[in-house]
Amino acid sequence: MKYSFRNDYSELCHPEIFEALIAAQKEQNSGYGLDKHSENAKKLIQEKLETNNCDIHFVTGGTQANATVISYILRPYEAVLSCESGHINVHETGAIEATGHKVYTVPGQDGKLYPIDIINALKTHTDEHMVKIGMVYISQSTEVGTVYSVSELKALYDCCKENNLYLYIDGARLSSGLAASDVEFHMLKDLCDVMYIGGTKIGLMSGEAIVIFNDQFKPYFRHHIKNKTAMLAKGFAIGIQFERAFQDNLYFEMGKHENELAHFLSNELKTLGVPLLSESPTNQIFPIFSKDQVEELKELYDFEIWGEVEDKIAIRFVTSWATTKEACIELIQDIEKIISK
Amino acid sequence: MKYSFRNDYSELCHPEIFEALIAAQKEQNSGYGLDKHSENAKKLIQEKLETNNCDIHFVTGGTQANATVISYILRPYEAVLSCESGHINVHETGAIEATGHKVYTVPGQDGKLYPIDIINALKTHTDEHMVKIGMVYISQSTEVGTVYSVSELKALYDCCKENNLYLYIDGARLSSGLAASDVEFHMLKDLCDVMYIGGTKIGLMSGEAIVIFNDQFKPYFRHHIKNKTAMLAKGFAIGIQFERAFQDNLYFEMGKHENELAHFLSNELKTLGVPLLSESPTNQIFPIFSKDQVEELKELYDFEIWGEVEDKIAIRFVTSWATTKEACIELIQDIEKIISK
Amino acid sequence: MKYSFRNDYSELCHPEIFEALIAAQKEQNSGYGLDKHSENAKKLIQEKLETNNCDIHFVTGGTQANATVISYILRPYEAVLSCESGHINVHETGAIEATGHKVYTVPGQDGKLYPIDIINALKTHTDEHMVKIGMVYISQSTEVGTVYSVSELKALYDCCKENNLYLYIDGARLSSGLAASDVEFHMLKDLCDVMYIGGTKIGLMSGEAIVIFNDQFKPYFRHHIKNKTAMLAKGFAIGIQFERAFQDNLYFEMGKHENELAHFLSNELKTLGVPLLSESPTNQIFPIFSKDQVEELKELYDFEIWGEVEDKIAIRFVTSWATTKEACIELIQDIEKIISK
Amino acid sequence: MKYSFRNDYSELCHPEIFEALIAAQKEQNSGYGLDKHSENAKKLIQEKLETNNCDIHFVTGGTQANATVISYILRPYEAVLSCESGHINVHETGAIEATGHKVYTVPGQDGKLYPIDIINALKTHTDEHMVKIGMVYISQSTEVGTVYSVSELKALYDCCKENNLYLYIDGARLSSGLAASDVEFHMLKDLCDVMYIGGTKIGLMSGEAIVIFNDQFKPYFRHHIKNKTAMLAKGFAIGIQFERAFQDNLYFEMGKHENELAHFLSNELKTLGVPLLSESPTNQIFPIFSKDQVEELKELYDFEIWGEVEDKIAIRFVTSWATTKEACIELIQDIEKIISK
């Protein structure tokens, strides 16, 4: 196999992040994230957010971040509102429900929620025989590669505040999402109550940074992290990585890099006449091939089968911080050969 | 207000059931359902089921029965499959999710699930990143008043067995459901793994009888009932009521009675030209009126607003064991006056 | 068997409460506790509490009340502090833990907690690797028949408030507890955050009244009741009973009655030279007999074996609202015969 | 500060394990632990266990491993039996209870459970009003540094099997525990149902290996890991580390190293006349100093305050794979100076 375009977490971590780990190898650090690297990483993130009025906690994975945050925010009888395509609804094996909460879903559009979705959900949840909608979950970028604009996020958050709901942003692919939208990192502090900054899918060995803007959700959050089995003894291993990612613009550059390669791929595919399932501005693209073409492509590359489109098949290519232009050029050349047969 | 057609649980209990309670008033009975009445009630139910190879437990309410059974059957990573209109999905305030399990829903048809729904659900749950569908939940009669036939139930249960799923029947309105379908009570032992026989909605002061046919779900079920806070100290209060309901055919006659009155109402409404939202063979009917007509009707009767149908309104009339023919005749006469204005 | 002294929930309900149910038999009432009887019952309880600044909700059982209240008050990472002998620790089959919370226990003394127990518990729970103690659970009367005095309750509640803890009183046997202590019913509003008034163990067919004094725990409590499967469709069945129990002093008289008979029994037993395991001022007494005597007594009466005391056996007699003086006299006469052999 | 003896997880990871990570830096690997390194790591562990009849899964932390395993094994109404000093009871912030299960504790002895503890626990859990004890949790080495011998483990496991209980071993410090006892690694397959091999506390950056011997607990375990938020996208990051640790005897040598240094410390302390709180054969030792001495020592070294012993203080020194003989010699020299003042 020449290369895997299956996902953006196939390689251990970005070389510069690896260097930071190597540099700290002989240090003794305090446990449980109470070390100098974690502290510094938090400060660096706060600087880029242009506020120090937020609490930051590091955990190891996205599902873990979601379950930890959602179960902290909600009261027992409350549900989280999500798009049907939301990661918490589809791909977390019931992890949110395992903490006792319903994930109430609406179809949304292109993987995104709009204020009207929130309003309709509230209209149909009118009494104590139905769950109370307590918060709204969205992803930036979404599970289908789309992004929210600043005005869309603002409209959603305003709608949440008017209705006493809390807005939580799953930033598993935040770097790519920022690079593809008009949302700047520092704006996020005014656009949600809690979010997490994804690390695993953008060049960290593992690690996500939960950022809590709303004061209401700060007390005893470390107790809650431990209660949800998400506290790492060697928390500094994540702190070191985030420290490096936010020391300069590395965190943001990685997202730009993967988007650029994805755009290159989608442009070349269009030139070749390969249809795309959707216009994705981020690092996931969804070309459509015949079954035979997919079979041939499979022998050379690894990727995900997304679904059937009439008698053809949509597949997913994901570019990552580690993907090279060369790999992309070769992929296009191979596709050209296959489709010209 | 003349009369309430809002639901089938507006009156305390059937006079003969009340008599049975009065007769036992001075008795001393063992606690927690280990009394002679509960024992006898179980035997009487088993006789009518034509098997003694089932365990029977009494609890106080339907949501409680559902949460207790479902959380016993499922493994932590498993979900229950339900129609979107299923009571566990809509009207239990997240009680199933509170036990840790996702309610995975499909639209179904007329409140009913079909084997194709199960197969499609399984097809889309293919790996460990998605919940495992562990069981199927249906209601007889359904939340919209429809019923399953024997052949439909058999097809569902066969499909479940072929796919290692368990079938659970919510019988909150089982009496009415049996009276409206070709399903006979004794057949149920071969048509599901677990069910509950609804009491609260058919003439008991409170109480539902969980019936476990599948041996796999029998051990330590009493521990589980207590763990789910559903064990009643004075369990005999429910045992006495079920004993009376199954001593003769009272349980089944109450369902017949309410269906007959509902049929009378729907026939008369059709004669008057009042459209019905659906053809319900059971004790819930859904006539459609103009908004003004609903307002007038509201001053005389109590009932539930079901939803808007274009510029009109569908309402729900529920007949119960306590509803009289006289009340129904009067209702029709009042409707005739209102719509002829 | 002549009579059961096994517990105080062997009979259906007090005749006057039964009369109230009979009187309401033909009424149509709103469901889910939103009926006129439940409303009136709440008003009557509030009058006797001398405050209308409390929310009251009816549920069917004590374990259910405990799990519902505790899971509402606590945050996910918090634990409830209880005496080792506490009902929630010993006899609820893990129902509290099933809602996600640790029951942290200390030995206490004679079934009671003291401020020092709270302070010691807090001292040993110092960081995020240990549960945060969030509330304190006590019972009045306790599981071993003892009672708290006003000054003891006040000291406990003051200690709770000083330490940001909430105090919850399990009143399964509140009537008996009040009759045996200097605590008057109306004082309770200033002595805890939440309590429940036990009905099942004092002459109701079933039913407990959760009383919420602390405003913080009032919002959406009905949602939570439904979520915890504790909402009864025919809530009025419990409302009617509490309405009757608090219409005059019936609720309090039943407790006095059972305490008087228990005192009669313990005095007579002392006169006969039968040792008692403890001095219980309430309706549970714990005489000690030889094994042979217990065997003989078993043939005539039903009671609980409490435990071994050296080579003898402590048993438990419980008197109830239904126990008669005649039954007690006969019991004493039979004991006299047995021990004089 | 010269050196930290606070715990055995202050350094990132063993240099040879770091080398293995560096060697894999440019590889593309499959996600979620389905990669070649994880597969090979499992084979190497199986070889050393002398069986391939076990399933192995990698997760990131000890509390996570415990909560994942225990919530898989237990039925909802079941509890896990633990020593009072057990990690799951004291230091996991209610993480086990958060999955719905009671941790039932007994005092045990020196941090260890014996068959008599199990038998007594079963004797007092006799009916459905109490949790059913479903499994037994022990740690090797224990939280106070002691170890089980082969015969002790065998007696415990036999007792479990006779009583239909499952035995689970928390191996957070398994390497040190094996080095200090007559238990050989391969014997463990016959001494428990499930265990985890600790990595975080013995030279891995993070990672624990859950080993399932009992076939009953194998199906769908990956679903359960995801449901409990413990599945790592870059599972290969842990696989690579365990692969290296079990490629030769590195895993076992690290434990030997830390035990040797701990023995050196305890011997030297005895020579100096410093009393020890207990005889620990593993890498945790508990010397007792005066308060002044502790204050002086604190300025030079980091360590944990364990508790008061009369007017003195017991502290804890932990040696790790990274601790050097030089650091230990210096510590002893500094102690000598301090106590000779």
Side-chain angles (χ1 to χ4, degrees), chain B residues 3-4 20 34 47 50-51 56 94 132 148 176 178 183-184 189 191 208 210 229 233 273 280 286 330 332:
Chain B
Y3 196 76
S4 169
L34 299 173
E47 277 172 24
E50 297 173 12
T51 178
I56 302 178
K132 184 173 168 288
Y148 289 88
S176 171
L178 291 171
V183 180
E184 291 174 47
K189 66 177 173 295
L191 294 171
E208 328 290 322
I210 296 171
T229 80
S280 159
F286 305 88
E330 202 172 342
I332 292 298

Side-chain angles (χ1 to χ4, degrees), chain A residues 18-42:
Chain A
F18 220 135
E19 284 307 314
L21 287 168
I22 290 169
Q25 197 184 345
K26 305 217 162 160
E27 291 177 5
Q28 285 195 307
N29 276 294
S30 299
Y32 307 108
L34 299 173
D35 60 284
K36 63 180 177 297
H37 295 289
S38 297
E39 282 315 301
N40 194 34
K42 291 175 193 180

Side-chain angles (χ1 to χ4, degrees), chain D residues 90 96 116 119 121 124 150 179 190 206 210 213 225 260 281 311 333:
Chain D
V90 183
I96 304 304
I116 186 70
I119 303 221
T124 56
V150 173
D190 300 313
S206 102
I210 296 171
F213 298 113
I225 288 177
E260 279 166 14
D311 61 337
Q333 287 170 344

Side-chain angles (χ1 to χ4, degrees), chain C residues 285-299:
Chain C
I285 60 170
F286 305 88
I288 297 169
F289 294 100
S290 73
K291 289 185 184 180
D292 288 349
Q293 290 165 350
V294 169
E295 285 309 307
E296 277 195 72
L297 210 47
K298 256 190 189 170
E299 312 221 333

Side-chain angles (χ1 to χ4, degrees), chain D residues 34-61:
Chain D
L34 298 175
D35 60 283
K36 63 181 179 296
H37 295 289
S38 298
E39 283 315 301
N40 194 35
K42 291 174 193 181
K43 265 181 216 150
L44 293 169
I45 293 173
Q46 287 179 332
E47 277 171 25
K48 296 214 186 298
L49 282 167
E50 297 173 14
T51 177
N52 55 18
N53 187 18
C54 61
D55 282 5
I56 301 178
H57 304 273
F58 301 117
V59 297
T60 50

Side-chain angles (χ1 to χ4, degrees), chain B residues 32 34 71-72 74-77 127-132 219-220 222-224 226-228 231, chain D residues 32 34 71-72 74-77 127-132 219-220 222-224 226-228 231:
Chain B
Y32 306 108
L34 299 173
S71 63
Y72 185 97
L74 294 182
R75 298 283 300 139
Y77 47 85
D127 63 37
E128 65 262 25
H129 301 285
M130 310 188 83
V131 281
K132 184 173 168 288
Y220 297 101
R222 280 177 62 82
H223 277 76
H224 190 66
K226 181 84 177 192
N227 175 269
K228 288 287 161 286
M231 187 166 282
Chain D
Y32 306 110
L34 298 175
S71 63
Y72 184 97
L74 293 182
R75 298 283 300 141
Y77 46 85
D127 63 38
E128 65 262 26
H129 301 286
M130 310 188 85
V131 282
K132 185 174 167 289
Y220 297 101
R222 280 177 60 84
H223 277 75
H224 191 66
K226 180 83 178 193
N227 176 270
K228 289 289 161 284
M231 186 166 283

